[in-house]
Amino acid sequence: MSGRGLILGIESSCDETAAAVVEWGAHTLSSVVASQIATHARYGGVVPELASREHLRAIVPVVRAALAEAHCTLADLDAIAVTSGPGLAGALLVGITYAKALAFAQGVPLIAVNHLEGHIHAVLLQERESRGGERSPVDEQALALVVSGGHTHLYLARSADGSWHYSLIGRTVDDAAGEAYDKVAKLLGLGYPGGPWIDRLARFGNPLAVPFSFSQIKTKAHLEGKPPRTKAAQTAPIAKLDPRFLFSFSGIKTAVLRHVEIDHLRPEAEARFARLFGGQLFSSGQAEENGEAKQRRAVPSLPETREEALALCPQSTLDLIASFQHAVVGDLMKKTFAAAESLGARRILVTGGVSANRELRERFGVEGARRGLRVVFPKLELSTDNAAMIAAAAWPRYQAGEFAEAGLSADPSLALGR
Ligand code: KG4
Ligand code: ZN
């Protein structure tokens, strides 16, 4: 224990194994992320068994690299923070078990962090860093949109005396926005994760070519009192939330599927997938488990120019992609700004993997400026999963002495806030 306010953060909730050392909750000394994209890309999604196996392989070298980059040793740490949920049970357990063992061996406290709170702290960490690592707590409040592969949640985040409190304002009733990106990308033969592909290809399409309407983004299930349909939607009750702030992205995914069928785009998608990944679209992780597809391919690079985009997709597909993204970003904006207005929030934090999206950043920025609201995003490497955000979120808990029990376990559907 150094008394230097050093927290080692560990994150393994999905498909990134990450470790970081953050000082005083305000200075990132190191942040190492081992991505599993090469493992999951051709399955169109994360294969949980493969994710756990990859975390087991990566966790020790990733933690070692984070300590080395921060020029410290385990003996210098004041606490160890780990994501305890939500996420994949097996993946979470790898991080939790390792973090527990390290904390026990070093005799330092273990701090459990909610992954969603981590995403919110990615922005707060960056703000503290830009203020020169100011340590004194500032009482503040912000509306936070956490938009990732597993979540599309709106929270009112408030800090008082250094502790943060969260109220759930809105959420998806079915798929998360990132999940819709990933599913649409899979339908179009673009691999996983789909967000970066769609983001890049949308730049070369006409966003108004296909009029996806917001009525396709249904919130009916909620209004009829039906239970949420997917796991992602089960982490908190929706009945008490204002329907104006509920999201739904399964309708637009189905609308894209309809286009794929009506316009006979499947052969085109199959050919694109084979070209990019050298395999068969819609194969399952089982194939690799059975040893049928052992060889790992490098992740193909995103197209840079219109010519490269057109070599990959005909203009009509680029238009479909651009229209999908335009509708999703429009819906995220409409509901987020309506919530900010209704709550009187002056500051909006947009975070999580989808917040890396270029169109989203541009349009949120323009609308925020028009309304006189501050819209803040994490830098790109803090938008997607990382462990600096976990160490940063742990800092107020460390100061408050809120430590995890020895029996800490993974909670795949851990909710944040009330
Ligand atoms: O936060 P994250 O790394 O992991 C989760 O907590 O889910 O988010 C991953 C999600 C994936 O669905 C991925 O497709 C999406 O973020 N994503 C993007 C972009 N980069 C990543 N979506 C849209 N545009 C992007 N540039
Ligand atoms: Zn995440």
CSV table of all heavy atoms in Angstrom, one decimal, residues 337-378:
chain,number,residue,atom,x,y,z
A,337,PHE,N,-32.7,14.3,-25.3
A,337,PHE,CA,-32.9,15.7,-25.1
A,337,PHE,C,-34.2,16.0,-24.5
A,337,PHE,O,-34.4,16.9,-23.7
A,337,PHE,CB,-32.7,16.5,-26.5
A,337,PHE,CG,-31.3,16.7,-26.8
A,337,PHE,CD1,-30.7,15.9,-27.8
A,337,PHE,CD2,-30.5,17.6,-26.2
A,337,PHE,CE1,-29.3,16.0,-28.1
A,337,PHE,CE2,-29.2,17.8,-26.5
A,337,PHE,CZ,-28.6,17.0,-27.5
A,338,ALA,N,-35.2,15.1,-24.8
A,338,ALA,CA,-36.5,15.3,-24.1
A,338,ALA,C,-36.4,15.1,-22.6
A,338,ALA,O,-36.9,15.8,-21.8
A,338,ALA,CB,-37.6,14.4,-24.7
A,339,ALA,N,-35.6,14.1,-22.2
A,339,ALA,CA,-35.4,13.8,-20.8
A,339,ALA,C,-34.6,14.9,-20.2
A,339,ALA,O,-34.9,15.3,-19.0
A,339,ALA,CB,-34.6,12.5,-20.7
A,340,ALA,N,-33.6,15.4,-20.9
A,340,ALA,CA,-32.8,16.5,-20.3
A,340,ALA,C,-33.7,17.7,-20.0
A,340,ALA,O,-33.6,18.4,-19.0
A,340,ALA,CB,-31.7,16.9,-21.2
A,341,GLU,N,-34.6,18.0,-21.0
A,341,GLU,CA,-35.5,19.1,-20.8
A,341,GLU,C,-36.4,18.9,-19.7
A,341,GLU,O,-36.6,19.8,-18.8
A,341,GLU,CB,-36.2,19.4,-22.1
A,341,GLU,CG,-37.0,20.7,-22.2
A,341,GLU,CD,-37.7,20.9,-23.5
A,341,GLU,OE1,-37.1,20.7,-24.5
A,341,GLU,OE2,-38.9,21.2,-23.4
A,342,SER,N,-37.0,17.7,-19.6
A,342,SER,CA,-38.0,17.5,-18.6
A,342,SER,C,-37.3,17.5,-17.2
A,342,SER,O,-38.0,17.9,-16.2
A,342,SER,CB,-38.6,16.1,-18.9
A,342,SER,OG,-38.9,15.4,-17.7
A,343,LEU,N,-36.1,17.1,-17.1
A,343,LEU,CA,-35.4,17.1,-15.8
A,343,LEU,C,-34.6,18.4,-15.5
A,343,LEU,O,-34.1,18.5,-14.4
A,343,LEU,CB,-34.4,15.9,-15.7
A,343,LEU,CG,-35.0,14.5,-15.8
A,343,LEU,CD1,-33.9,13.5,-16.2
A,343,LEU,CD2,-35.7,14.1,-14.5
A,344,GLY,N,-34.6,19.2,-16.4
A,344,GLY,CA,-33.8,20.5,-16.2
A,344,GLY,C,-32.3,20.3,-16.2
A,344,GLY,O,-31.6,21.0,-15.6
A,345,ALA,N,-31.8,19.1,-16.8
A,345,ALA,CA,-30.4,18.9,-16.8
A,345,ALA,C,-29.7,19.8,-17.7
A,345,ALA,O,-30.1,20.0,-18.8
A,345,ALA,CB,-30.1,17.4,-17.2
A,346,ARG,N,-28.5,20.3,-17.3
A,346,ARG,CA,-27.8,21.3,-18.2
A,346,ARG,C,-26.6,20.6,-18.9
A,346,ARG,O,-26.0,21.1,-19.7
A,346,ARG,CB,-27.2,22.5,-17.3
A,346,ARG,CG,-28.2,23.2,-16.5
A,346,ARG,CD,-29.3,23.8,-17.3
A,346,ARG,NE,-28.9,24.6,-18.5
A,346,ARG,CZ,-29.6,24.8,-19.6
A,346,ARG,NH1,-30.8,24.2,-19.7
A,346,ARG,NH2,-29.1,25.5,-20.6
A,347,ARG,N,-26.3,19.3,-18.4
A,347,ARG,CA,-25.2,18.6,-18.9
A,347,ARG,C,-25.6,17.2,-19.3
A,347,ARG,O,-26.3,16.5,-18.5
A,347,ARG,CB,-24.2,18.5,-17.8
A,347,ARG,CG,-22.7,18.7,-18.2
A,347,ARG,CD,-21.9,19.2,-17.0
A,347,ARG,NE,-21.8,18.2,-16.0
A,347,ARG,CZ,-20.8,17.3,-16.0
A,347,ARG,NH1,-19.9,17.3,-16.8
A,347,ARG,NH2,-20.8,16.4,-15.0
A,348,ILE,N,-25.2,16.8,-20.5
A,348,ILE,CA,-25.5,15.4,-20.9
A,348,ILE,C,-24.2,14.6,-21.1
A,348,ILE,O,-23.3,15.1,-21.8
A,348,ILE,CB,-26.3,15.4,-22.2
A,348,ILE,CG1,-27.6,16.2,-22.0
A,348,ILE,CG2,-26.6,14.0,-22.7
A,348,ILE,CD1,-28.5,16.3,-23.3
A,349,LEU,N,-24.0,13.5,-20.5
A,349,LEU,CA,-22.9,12.6,-20.7
A,349,LEU,C,-23.3,11.5,-21.6
A,349,LEU,O,-24.3,10.8,-21.3
A,349,LEU,CB,-22.4,12.0,-19.4
A,349,LEU,CG,-22.3,12.9,-18.2
A,349,LEU,CD1,-21.7,12.1,-17.0
A,349,LEU,CD2,-21.3,14.1,-18.5
A,350,VAL,N,-22.7,11.3,-22.8
A,350,VAL,CA,-23.0,10.2,-23.6
A,350,VAL,C,-21.8,9.2,-23.7
A,350,VAL,O,-20.7,9.6,-24.0
A,350,VAL,CB,-23.4,10.6,-25.1
A,350,VAL,CG1,-23.9,9.5,-25.9
A,350,VAL,CG2,-24.3,11.8,-25.1
A,351,THR,N,-22.1,8.0,-23.2
A,351,THR,CA,-21.0,7.1,-23.0
A,351,THR,C,-21.3,5.6,-23.4
A,351,THR,O,-22.5,5.3,-23.7
A,351,THR,CB,-20.5,7.2,-21.6
A,351,THR,OG1,-19.3,6.4,-21.4
A,351,THR,CG2,-21.5,6.8,-20.6
A,352,GLY,N,-20.3,4.7,-23.5
A,352,GLY,CA,-20.6,3.3,-23.9
A,352,GLY,C,-20.1,3.2,-25.4
A,352,GLY,O,-19.9,4.2,-26.1
A,353,GLY,N,-20.0,2.0,-25.8
A,353,GLY,CA,-19.4,1.7,-27.1
A,353,GLY,C,-20.0,2.5,-28.3
A,353,GLY,O,-19.3,3.0,-29.2
A,354,VAL,N,-21.3,2.7,-28.3
A,354,VAL,CA,-22.0,3.3,-29.4
A,354,VAL,C,-21.7,4.8,-29.4
A,354,VAL,O,-21.8,5.5,-30.5
A,354,VAL,CB,-23.5,3.1,-29.4
A,354,VAL,CG1,-24.2,3.8,-30.6
A,354,VAL,CG2,-23.8,1.6,-29.4
A,355,SER,N,-21.3,5.4,-28.3
A,355,SER,CA,-20.9,6.8,-28.2
A,355,SER,C,-19.7,7.1,-29.0
A,355,SER,O,-19.3,8.3,-29.2
A,355,SER,CB,-20.8,7.3,-26.8
A,355,SER,OG,-19.5,6.9,-26.2
A,356,ALA,N,-19.0,6.1,-29.5
A,356,ALA,CA,-17.8,6.3,-30.4
A,356,ALA,C,-18.3,6.7,-31.8
A,356,ALA,O,-17.5,7.2,-32.6
A,356,ALA,CB,-17.0,5.0,-30.5
A,357,ASN,N,-19.6,6.5,-32.0
A,357,ASN,CA,-20.1,6.8,-33.4
A,357,ASN,C,-20.0,8.2,-33.9
A,357,ASN,O,-20.3,9.1,-33.1
A,357,ASN,CB,-21.6,6.4,-33.4
A,357,ASN,CG,-22.1,6.4,-34.8
A,357,ASN,OD1,-22.7,7.4,-35.2
A,357,ASN,ND2,-22.0,5.3,-35.5
A,358,ARG,N,-19.5,8.4,-35.1
A,358,ARG,CA,-19.2,9.8,-35.5
A,358,ARG,C,-20.5,10.6,-35.8
A,358,ARG,O,-20.5,11.7,-35.3
A,358,ARG,CB,-18.4,9.7,-36.8
A,358,ARG,CG,-17.9,11.1,-37.2
A,358,ARG,CD,-16.9,11.1,-38.3
A,358,ARG,NE,-17.6,11.1,-39.6
A,358,ARG,CZ,-17.0,11.3,-40.8
A,358,ARG,NH1,-15.7,11.5,-40.8
A,358,ARG,NH2,-17.6,11.4,-41.9
A,359,GLU,N,-21.5,10.0,-36.4
A,359,GLU,CA,-22.7,10.7,-36.6
A,359,GLU,C,-23.4,11.1,-35.3
A,359,GLU,O,-23.9,12.2,-35.1
A,359,GLU,CB,-23.7,9.9,-37.5
A,359,GLU,CG,-25.0,10.7,-37.8
A,359,GLU,CD,-26.0,9.9,-38.7
A,359,GLU,OE1,-25.5,9.0,-39.4
A,359,GLU,OE2,-27.1,10.3,-38.7
A,360,LEU,N,-23.4,10.2,-34.4
A,360,LEU,CA,-23.9,10.4,-33.1
A,360,LEU,C,-23.3,11.6,-32.4
A,360,LEU,O,-23.9,12.5,-31.9
A,360,LEU,CB,-23.8,9.2,-32.2
A,360,LEU,CG,-24.5,9.2,-30.8
A,360,LEU,CD1,-25.0,7.9,-30.4
A,360,LEU,CD2,-23.4,9.6,-29.8
A,361,ARG,N,-21.9,11.6,-32.4
A,361,ARG,CA,-21.2,12.7,-31.8
A,361,ARG,C,-21.5,14.1,-32.4
A,361,ARG,O,-21.8,15.1,-31.8
A,361,ARG,CB,-19.7,12.5,-31.8
A,361,ARG,CG,-19.3,11.4,-30.8
A,361,ARG,CD,-17.8,11.1,-30.8
A,361,ARG,NE,-17.6,10.1,-29.8
A,361,ARG,CZ,-16.7,10.2,-28.8
A,361,ARG,NH1,-15.9,11.1,-28.8
A,361,ARG,NH2,-16.7,9.2,-27.9
A,362,GLU,N,-21.6,14.0,-33.8
A,362,GLU,CA,-21.8,15.3,-34.5
A,362,GLU,C,-23.2,15.8,-34.2
A,362,GLU,O,-23.4,17.0,-33.8
A,362,GLU,CB,-21.7,15.0,-36.0
A,362,GLU,CG,-20.3,15.2,-36.5
A,362,GLU,CD,-20.2,14.8,-38.0
A,362,GLU,OE1,-21.3,14.8,-38.7
A,362,GLU,OE2,-19.1,14.6,-38.4
A,363,ARG,N,-24.2,14.9,-34.3
A,363,ARG,CA,-25.6,15.4,-34.1
A,363,ARG,C,-25.9,15.8,-32.7
A,363,ARG,O,-26.6,16.8,-32.4
A,363,ARG,CB,-26.6,14.4,-34.7
A,363,ARG,CG,-26.4,14.3,-36.2
A,363,ARG,CD,-27.3,13.3,-36.8
A,363,ARG,NE,-28.7,13.5,-36.6
A,363,ARG,CZ,-29.7,12.6,-36.8
A,363,ARG,NH1,-29.3,11.3,-37.2
A,363,ARG,NH2,-30.9,12.8,-36.6
A,364,PHE,N,-25.4,15.0,-31.7
A,364,PHE,CA,-25.6,15.4,-30.3
A,364,PHE,C,-25.0,16.7,-30.0
A,364,PHE,O,-25.5,17.6,-29.3
A,364,PHE,CB,-25.1,14.3,-29.4
A,364,PHE,CG,-26.1,13.3,-28.9
A,364,PHE,CD1,-26.4,12.2,-29.8
A,364,PHE,CD2,-26.7,13.4,-27.7
A,364,PHE,CE1,-27.3,11.3,-29.4
A,364,PHE,CE2,-27.7,12.5,-27.3
A,364,PHE,CZ,-28.0,11.4,-28.1
A,365,GLY,N,-23.8,16.9,-30.6
A,365,GLY,CA,-23.0,18.2,-30.4
A,365,GLY,C,-23.8,19.4,-30.9
A,365,GLY,O,-24.0,20.4,-30.2
A,366,VAL,N,-24.3,19.2,-32.1
A,366,VAL,CA,-25.0,20.3,-32.8
A,366,VAL,C,-26.3,20.7,-32.0
A,366,VAL,O,-26.6,21.8,-31.7
A,366,VAL,CB,-25.3,20.0,-34.3
A,366,VAL,CG1,-26.3,21.0,-34.9
A,366,VAL,CG2,-24.0,19.9,-35.1
A,367,GLU,N,-27.0,19.6,-31.6
A,367,GLU,CA,-28.3,19.8,-30.9
A,367,GLU,C,-28.1,20.4,-29.5
A,367,GLU,O,-28.8,21.3,-29.1
A,367,GLU,CB,-29.1,18.5,-30.9
A,367,GLU,CG,-30.5,18.6,-30.3
A,367,GLU,CD,-31.4,19.5,-31.1
A,367,GLU,OE1,-31.2,19.8,-32.2
A,367,GLU,OE2,-32.5,19.9,-30.5
A,368,GLY,N,-27.0,19.9,-28.9
A,368,GLY,CA,-26.7,20.5,-27.6
A,368,GLY,C,-26.4,22.0,-27.7
A,368,GLY,O,-26.8,22.8,-26.9
A,369,ALA,N,-25.6,22.3,-28.7
A,369,ALA,CA,-25.2,23.7,-28.8
A,369,ALA,C,-26.4,24.6,-29.1
A,369,ALA,O,-26.6,25.7,-28.6
A,369,ALA,CB,-24.2,23.9,-30.0
A,370,ARG,N,-27.3,24.0,-29.9
A,370,ARG,CA,-28.6,24.7,-30.2
A,370,ARG,C,-29.4,25.0,-29.0
A,370,ARG,O,-30.0,26.1,-28.8
A,370,ARG,CB,-29.4,23.9,-31.3
A,370,ARG,CG,-30.5,24.7,-32.0
A,370,ARG,CD,-31.2,23.8,-33.0
A,370,ARG,NE,-32.1,22.8,-32.4
A,370,ARG,CZ,-33.3,23.1,-31.8
A,370,ARG,NH1,-33.7,24.3,-31.8
A,370,ARG,NH2,-34.0,22.2,-31.2
A,371,ARG,N,-29.4,24.0,-28.1
A,371,ARG,CA,-30.2,24.2,-26.9
A,371,ARG,C,-29.5,24.8,-25.7
A,371,ARG,O,-30.0,24.9,-24.6
A,371,ARG,CB,-30.7,22.8,-26.4
A,371,ARG,CG,-31.7,22.2,-27.4
A,371,ARG,CD,-32.0,20.7,-27.0
A,371,ARG,NE,-32.9,20.0,-27.8
A,371,ARG,CZ,-34.1,19.6,-27.4
A,371,ARG,NH1,-34.5,19.9,-26.2
A,371,ARG,NH2,-34.9,19.0,-28.2
A,372,GLY,N,-28.2,25.1,-25.9
A,372,GLY,CA,-27.4,25.6,-24.8
A,372,GLY,C,-27.1,24.6,-23.7
A,372,GLY,O,-26.9,24.9,-22.6
A,373,LEU,N,-27.0,23.3,-24.1
A,373,LEU,CA,-26.6,22.2,-23.2
A,373,LEU,C,-25.2,21.8,-23.5
A,373,LEU,O,-24.8,21.7,-24.6
A,373,LEU,CB,-27.6,21.1,-23.3
A,373,LEU,CG,-29.1,21.3,-23.1
A,373,LEU,CD1,-29.8,20.0,-23.2
A,373,LEU,CD2,-29.3,21.9,-21.7
A,374,ARG,N,-24.5,21.4,-22.4
A,374,ARG,CA,-23.2,20.8,-22.6
A,374,ARG,C,-23.3,19.3,-22.9
A,374,ARG,O,-23.9,18.6,-22.0
A,374,ARG,CB,-22.4,21.1,-21.4
A,374,ARG,CG,-20.9,21.4,-21.6
A,374,ARG,CD,-20.3,22.0,-20.3
A,374,ARG,NE,-19.5,21.0,-19.7
A,374,ARG,CZ,-18.3,20.6,-20.1
A,374,ARG,NH1,-17.8,21.1,-21.3
A,374,ARG,NH2,-17.6,19.7,-19.5
A,375,VAL,N,-22.8,18.9,-24.0
A,375,VAL,CA,-22.8,17.4,-24.2
A,375,VAL,C,-21.4,16.9,-24.2
A,375,VAL,O,-20.5,17.5,-24.9
A,375,VAL,CB,-23.4,17.1,-25.6
A,375,VAL,CG1,-23.5,15.6,-25.8
A,375,VAL,CG2,-24.8,17.7,-25.7
A,376,VAL,N,-21.1,15.9,-23.4
A,376,VAL,CA,-19.7,15.5,-23.2
A,376,VAL,C,-19.6,14.0,-23.6
A,376,VAL,O,-20.4,13.2,-23.1
A,376,VAL,CB,-19.2,15.7,-21.7
A,376,VAL,CG1,-17.7,15.6,-21.7
A,376,VAL,CG2,-19.8,16.9,-21.1
A,377,PHE,N,-18.6,13.6,-24.3
A,377,PHE,CA,-18.3,12.2,-24.7
A,377,PHE,C,-16.9,11.8,-24.1
A,377,PHE,O,-16.0,12.7,-24.0
A,377,PHE,CB,-18.2,12.1,-26.2
A,377,PHE,CG,-19.4,12.5,-26.9
A,377,PHE,CD1,-19.5,13.8,-27.4
A,377,PHE,CD2,-20.5,11.7,-27.1
A,377,PHE,CE1,-20.6,14.2,-28.1
A,377,PHE,CE2,-21.6,12.0,-27.8
A,377,PHE,CZ,-21.7,13.3,-28.3
A,378,PRO,N,-16.7,10.5,-23.9
A,378,PRO,CA,-15.4,10.1,-23.5
A,378,PRO,C,-14.5,10.1,-24.8
A,378,PRO,O,-15.1,9.9,-25.9
A,378,PRO,CB,-15.6,8.7,-23.0
A,378,PRO,CG,-16.9,8.3,-23.3
A,378,PRO,CD,-17.7,9.4,-23.8
